[in-house]
Amino acid sequence: MRLDVVSIFPDYLAPLDLSLIGKARRDGIIDVRVHDLRDFTHDRHRTVDDTPYGGGAGMVMKPQPWSEALTHVLGSADEASGPAPILVVPGPGGQRFDQARARELAEAPWLAFACGRYEGIDERVYEWAAERMEVRVLSLGDYVLNGGEVAVLAMTEAIVRLLPGVVGNAESLVEESHEGGLLEYPIYTKPSAWTDAAGVTREVPEVLLGGNHEAIATWRHEQRLARTAARRPDLLAAAATAQGPDGLSVLDHAVATPADAGEILTLQKACRLEMVAEPQHWSGAPAETVDDVRADLASWTTHTFRSEGRLVASVRVRRDPVDPSTWQIGRLMVVPDLQGRGLERALLERAEALGPADITRYRLSTGADQQPLLRMSKKAGYRTAGPGEGPGTVDLTKRRAAPPSSR
Ligand code: JF5
């Protein structure tokens, strides 16, 4: 795997020569090249930053040194690397870098990392780069570092250890925290009774000493669940959906009330991803207000699904006011971090099942730009019926299957 890193502090990346990563480098598993961004400036002061247009605190990294540095990286393509790297830009405003992302990036033959400093990089660099390679803005977590370098060290370590031949024992790679969506169980080693300097003795849990493998597996699974619930309740919903297609059944279901309007609006906004992906193309179309959502709650029945109190999915249904044999389904939403795990399909099936017995047809309304949702509903038997009521929406319909014969 080729790894290129562009930074104004190349020395910060010296740890890439140490430990397992250093060994992988010496073993020829990875080829790491660190570049100094200032080498791509042309002024006496080797300037990489300037003040922000529109005002505001701090400095912004200039586009020109970045385009030249990245052009230099692109120019070093070879047979093994492929034509262009995936460009990773660490930053607190990115998508979360997690174990799944590490596994995905470990498949790439070539990764380049752009280390931002100050308030960040001129937005046009992202546009320029996206025309030449795949660009990922990735965040380690919800905190701010002084620059991307430490994040690159963390990400490269998580990625490189997954490469064949880097970590000796393949087992130790699979059975780790975050694989499977639950935290690890507690581990112990000898002695079975350990006495500290104060004379306090602590025992290893009895079940681990017995050799009953089934009892040990059960105990460990319970420990993982209890730990995850206590320390990372946010992981439980994801773990539940990973267990099977109907992750919906483990969520708390309720019918929305006006008190839910604010959260539903937040979910709606989170699901309108196109604004997030392309800020320069933001249409400025008037967004719905919390009062619009409240009004909708009066004319529809909105069903909410929560995990540990957090609203993670919702859908609204009603009998069609003009055609009472039709069951209307709309605003089918799943929070972005749980999308694509089968929850959408389960939600649609739940919405259909809510239709009274005399319903003969379903009409699903969705955004014309909601590609994954359109694909899913077509797989579920829906066909496009035409443009929907709201701007930018489409209607899809499906006949309800005849009820099973009562005899
Ligand atoms: C950075 C401008 C990048 O702060 C971070 C970060 C937080 N989580 N993951 C990464 O990146 C450094 C700071 C300022 C761009």
Side-chain angles (χ1 to χ4, degrees):
M1 174 186 270
R2 263 285 297 280
L3 294 170
D4 285 84
V5 185
V6 182
S7 161
I8 58 168
F9 294 119
D11 292 347
Y12 227 120
L13 297 144
L16 292 178
D17 284 328
L18 305 174
S19 188
L20 279 175
I21 301 199
K23 173 132 195 317
R25 221 171 159 173
R26 290 189 294 279
D27 291 346
I29 297 170
I30 54 170
D31 172 4
V32 183
R33 305 180 193 181
V34 180
H35 313 268
D36 186 344
L37 182 68
R38 292 195 199 274
D39 289 347
F40 302 91
T41 59
H42 303 292
D43 64 313
R44 214 157 45 84
H45 298 108
R46 313 228 295 163
T47 312
V48 294
D49 62 335
D50 208 332
T51 55
Y53 276 115
M59 300 292 272
V60 177
M61 295 189 106
K62 294 160 65 65
Q64 170 274 321
W66 275 111
S67 70
E68 288 191 31
L70 295 173
T71 298
H72 172 77
V73 170
L74 282 167
S76 68
D78 60 43
E79 199 92 318
S81 72
I86 296 177
L87 180 66
V88 175
V89 189
Q95 223 182 34
R96 181 61 64 87
F97 177 81
D98 57 13
Q99 192 63 28
R101 199 68 56 207
R103 254 182 274 128
E104 185 195 344
L105 293 174
E107 300 292 323
W110 189 5
L111 298 175
F113 293 87
C115 299
R117 283 262 151 187
Y118 316 110
E119 300 307 305
I121 306 171
D122 188 303
E123 189 63 26
R124 292 166 295 180
V125 173
Y126 297 88
E127 295 167 22
W128 180 94
E131 286 165 10
R132 291 160 175 84
M133 59 200 120
E134 189 180 333
V135 178
R136 306 278 192 90
V137 183
L138 297 177
S139 163
L140 289 184
D142 294 336
Y143 42 82
V144 180
L145 305 169
N146 282 333
E149 288 78 5
V150 165
V152 168
L153 291 175
M155 290 177 191
T156 49
E157 183 153 320
I159 293 164
V160 169
R161 65 190 291 286
L162 298 177
L163 300 178
V166 177
V167 173
N169 180 3
E171 275 255 301
S172 70
L173 279 178
V174 237
E175 243 202 81
E176 281 173 50
S177 287
H178 298 285
E179 304 270 2
L182 292 175
L183 302 184
E184 259 312 345
Y185 49 77
I187 53 173
Y188 302 86
T189 185
K190 288 172 274 295
S192 63
W194 164 61
T195 306
D196 69 12
V200 178
T201 298
R202 287 175 173 80
E203 313 263 357
V204 169
E206 184 90 53
V207 63
L208 299 179
L209 307 174
N212 180 344
H213 298 296
E214 204 181 299
I216 291 171
T218 304
W219 180 85
R220 284 179 167 169
H221 186 64
E222 281 166 2
Q223 291 290 316
R224 296 184 72 189
L225 285 171
R227 256 193 182 181
T228 310
R231 299 180 184 174
R232 294 292 308 278
D234 57 301
L235 292 180
L236 280 181
T241 61
Q243 316 272 301
D246 195 7
L248 209 56
S249 57
V250 303
L251 301 176
D252 300 317
H253 169 236
V255 170
T257 70
D260 296 308
E263 275 176 290
I264 292 170
L265 182 63
T266 302
L267 180 55
Q268 249 163 252
K269 291 188 171 178
C271 290
R272 285 172 56 182
L273 276 174
E274 67 283 0
M275 299 194 325
V276 179
E278 294 180 56
Q280 73 279 26
H281 295 147
W282 183 50
S283 67
E288 262 205 313
T289 67
V290 75
D291 285 328
D292 298 329
V293 175
R294 237 177 250 133
D296 285 347
L297 289 178
S299 50
W300 294 78
T301 305
T302 299
H303 293 262
T304 60
F305 296 86
R306 292 176 181 275
S307 165
E308 305 280 318
R310 175 191 180 211
L311 180 66
V312 295
S314 87
V315 64
R316 69 182 190 181
V317 293
R318 70 176 177 192
R319 195 186 281 281
D320 187 339
V322 276
D323 172 10
S325 66
T326 294
W327 188 241
Q328 286 182 288
I329 304 170
R331 292 284 155 82
L332 194 151
M333 303 184 286
V334 173
V335 283
D337 57 295
L338 295 179
Q339 285 172 8
R341 301 160 178 256
L343 266 185
E344 296 87 344
R345 178 73 179 256
L347 202 56
L348 179 58
E349 283 168 13
R350 182 71 74 94
E352 291 174 350
L354 289 164
D358 61 322
I359 289 293
T360 59
R361 219 161 63 99
Y362 303 117
R363 191 163 84 245
L364 171 68
S365 178
T366 179
D369 54 357
Q370 300 285 321
Q371 293 310 331
L373 215 56
L374 291 169
R375 240 176 291 125
M376 181 279 287
S377 51
K378 284 181 180 157
K379 263 194 219 149
Y382 283 78
R383 278 177 310 148
T384 310
E389 249 174 69
T393 67
V394 287
D395 279 357
L396 299 109
T397 61
K398 176 171 117 175
R399 284 187 60 81
R400 187 183 234 181
S405 158
S406 49
R407 266 172 298 152

